[in-house]
Amino acid sequence: QVQLVESGGGLVQAGGSLRLSCAASRRTFSDYSMGWFRQAPGKEREFVAALSWSGATTYYANSVKGRFTISRDNAKNTVYLQMNSLKPEDTAVYYCARFRYSGSYHEGSVADWGQGTQVTVSS
C-alpha cells in the first residue's frame, strides 16, 4: 500500500490558478501511473487527469483539457496538478490516486487514494 498526502487546495477567484501536490510514501513511486479525481457536492467522483510512470503520457478529462496540467517528479515521489483558468464548476474535493495498472485510468483501477484536498472557486 502507498500512502498519498495531498496539499495545495484553497479558495481562489474564477480565472485564478492553484497547484496541487501529492506526496507518496514509497520509494517505488516511479513504478506507478498516478492521477487525480474530484468530487463536487452532490455529484459522483470523476476522473480529472492521469499520467504514466515516466510522465511521458498524459490523459485529461475534456472538462479540464487545456487548463490543467499533470506532472510528476519521481525523485521527490510527488505528482502535481497545475490548475489554471479556474471556473466555479471546478469546485470540488480533489483526490490523488495510484493506479494498479498502466493504461487503465478509471476509478475501479485505483489501488490507493489520498485523503482529498478542497478546491473552491468563487465567481
Side-chain angles (χ1 to χ4, degrees):
Q1 186 176 8
V2 177
Q3 290 187 329
L4 304 172
V5 179
E6 300 102 332
S7 61
L11 173 64
V12 63
Q13 288 188 333
S17 299
L18 282 174
R19 188 176 81 155
L20 305 183
S21 299
C22 171
S25 63
R26 284 180 60 171
R27 289 179 294 175
T28 52
F29 168 80
S30 60
D31 293 345
Y32 305 116
S33 296
M34 300 292 296
W36 292 91
F37 290 75
R38 68 186 181 186
Q39 187 168 20
K43 296 187 176 181
E44 294 186 350
R45 186 154 49 188
E46 64 175 3
F47 169 81
V48 175
L51 80 170
S52 61
W53 66 271
S54 67
T57 307
T58 56
Y59 304 87
Y60 296 95
N62 288 335
S63 59
V64 307
K65 202 171 293 184
R67 300 188 297 121
F68 290 12
T69 301
I70 188 171
S71 62
R72 67 192 298 163
D73 185 338
N74 287 340
K76 295 182 179 180
N77 287 2
T78 301
V79 62
Y80 304 97
L81 186 68
Q82 177 67 45
M83 305 185 295
N84 298 329
S85 302
L86 283 160
K87 305 175 181 180
E89 52 263 43
D90 294 318
T91 295
V93 177
Y94 283 71
Y95 296 92
C96 179
R98 178 180 74 86
F99 295 100
R100 289 188 179 89
Y101 310 112
S102 177
S104 180
Y105 301 131
H106 57 86
E107 191 168 344
S109 296
V110 174
D112 298 292
W113 293 100
Q115 83 285 356
T117 185
Q118 177 70 47
V119 171
T120 303
V121 184
S122 63
S123 58

